[in-house]
Amino acid sequence: MKKLFLLMTCLFTVNISLAQAVFDYFDHYTSGEYLCPQSNNLWTTWDYNPGGLSDVYITNEHSFSGNNSIKFDSDNSTADVVLPLGNIKTNEWLISFMMRIESGYGAYFNMLHEFSGDESNWAFEAYFSETGTVHFNAANMVLWDFSYPTGEWFKVSITIDPEVNSAKLFINNIPINESTWAWCLGSGDLDSTIAAINFHSAAPEGEQALFYIDDVNFRQTDLTLEESGQSCVSIYPNPSTDKLIINFEDIYGVNCQIFSSLGELVYEKSNLSNHELIDCSECSPGLYSIKINNQLSNVQHIKFIVK
């Protein structure tokens, strides 16, 4: 394990409290091809037809990190993709992503309490206008109108606690409103489930859509300090054949040691970047263990297999 590369990689998943955390950076996918067939069933389309007309293309035209993002535009007006989130009803969660809306164009996304095609229950819809304003709509009423920066990347974040029925929206980490709204509101029955997020090539009436999405992140936030250190670390793929990707989400000062099944130290590095690619092509097949600790002295052990 002699080589170490920095990689803004595409996909990491880790189980947290029986639900799935997702970090998708789209950089492991092939530009110019559809998203869903490349995502290993992580993403799907509104009509459950990955690779069909509702799928979206990977592009290298713009990206916030790495080389790729996903592109939505009126020329591909049927693009309508969904990221299922596990039908979660407990704990506190954060969904965030980077968004770029070209000047003179609009955009759209929504979140769902239930994802079942035309029978879905929309938790809310957000219409981004070419004028730089947003209509944020839940339960068929506009909760807020606010502005966003056009022609540049900005961060959209929503914190959700289904147990206490509250949610809050942020743009570039600034809250849109000081108060939360009732997460159970929607287009159908009252429901506090976190089911899915949906991006669609749409815009307010009379406008055209052209926008990009990158760095989609979904994770639990109400963990203890020790759990938080663990939950924000993931490795992929496992089992591995020639490489191991380690992702540290919002953790700094991370140190890493890798041991063989016999306890032999085979790799060591301090101050890892948030996204690391380790070459393990020269490792003997077998079981290995990664010991990870950060500046808060949180320690995690993760086992992985080299084929």
Side-chain angles (χ1 to χ4, degrees):
M1 305 177 68
K2 299 178 180 178
K3 301 177 183 178
L4 180 69
F5 302 94
L6 173 65
L7 176 71
M8 297 302 289
T9 189
C10 79
L11 169 64
F12 306 91
T13 61
V14 59
N15 288 329
I16 300 177
S17 298
L18 303 180
Q20 188 181 65
V22 177
F23 311 93
D24 201 344
Y25 299 89
F26 307 109
D27 294 328
H28 193 61
Y29 306 142
T30 301
S31 179
E33 297 187 5
Y34 282 126
L35 163 67
C36 296
Q38 300 186 74
S39 72
N40 195 28
N41 299 317
L42 182 70
W43 293 82
T44 188
T45 62
W46 188 262
D47 58 1
Y48 300 100
N49 186 26
L53 294 178
S54 294
D55 212 334
V56 68
Y57 287 106
I58 301 293
T59 182
N60 57 15
E61 294 176 3
H62 293 286
S63 66
F64 180 77
S65 65
N67 297 316
N68 294 338
S69 64
I70 50 177
K71 178 182 179 181
F72 298 83
D73 64 89
S74 293
D75 290 339
N76 184 24
S77 60
T78 58
D80 200 352
V81 296
V82 178
L83 178 64
L85 299 173
N87 294 323
I88 297 166
K89 298 178 181 292
T90 60
N91 303 313
E92 298 174 10
W93 294 82
L94 167 72
I95 178 76
S96 68
F97 55 89
M98 299 304 300
M99 190 175 201
R100 178 189 173 103
I101 305 174
E102 296 304 296
S103 298
Y105 293 89
Y108 170 88
F109 83 96
N110 67 64
M111 289 194 68
L112 300 164
H113 294 308
E114 179 184 1
F115 171 46
S116 55
D118 291 339
E119 301 301 319
S120 297
N121 184 356
W122 281 256
F124 67 78
E125 298 177 292
Y127 288 89
F128 294 75
S129 173
E130 62 186 20
T131 63
T133 60
V134 184
H135 294 285
F136 189 81
N137 183 328
N140 297 314
M141 61 182 179
V142 175
L143 294 181
W144 302 296
D145 289 330
F146 56 91
S147 61
Y148 73 92
T150 61
E152 63 183 70
W153 287 102
F154 62 95
K155 186 176 184 179
V156 179
S157 308
I158 305 103
T159 58
I160 306 166
D161 188 336
E163 290 190 78
V164 300
N165 187 31
S166 69
K168 198 166 187 176
L169 174 69
F170 301 79
I171 298 293
N172 284 334
N173 297 320
I174 300 174
I176 293 305
N177 192 290
E178 290 302 319
S179 62
T180 62
W181 84 91
W183 172 246
C184 71
L185 298 178
S187 60
D189 296 334
L190 298 181
D191 188 350
S192 287
T193 305
I194 306 172
I197 187 168
N198 170 222
F199 298 100
H200 177 37
S201 290
E205 186 175 356
E207 299 182 11
Q208 299 291 303
L210 179 54
F211 65 100
Y212 302 83
I213 301 294
D214 202 358
D215 293 11
V216 178
N217 179 5
F218 180 65
R219 61 184 175 87
Q220 189 178 333
T221 61
D222 60 339
L223 301 169
T224 65
L225 184 62
E226 181 178 2
E227 289 172 330
S228 179
Q230 293 179 357
S231 69
C232 295
V233 178
S234 53
I235 64 172
Y236 178 88
N238 186 12
S240 174
T241 54
D242 58 354
K243 65 179 180 296
L244 184 72
I245 302 164
I246 309 177
N247 180 62
F248 305 94
E249 183 68 20
D250 299 330
I251 304 178
Y252 303 94
V254 175
N255 306 317
C256 170
Q257 293 177 310
I258 299 180
F259 299 89
S260 70
S261 59
L262 299 177
E264 177 188 5
L265 179 65
V266 297
Y267 180 82
E268 184 174 20
K269 183 176 174 63
S270 300
N271 296 317
L272 274 67
S273 63
N274 278 15
H275 311 282
E276 294 282 353
L277 174 61
I278 297 175
D279 181 6
C280 55
S281 60
E282 299 180 9
C283 291
S284 300
L287 180 66
Y288 291 83
S289 176
I290 303 177
K291 179 182 178 182
I292 297 169
N293 65 284
N294 63 19
Q295 59 189 359
L296 297 175
S297 298
N298 293 322
V299 177
Q300 182 177 4
H301 296 269
I302 304 174
K303 292 182 179 181
F304 70 98
I305 296 173
V306 174
K307 289 185 175 180

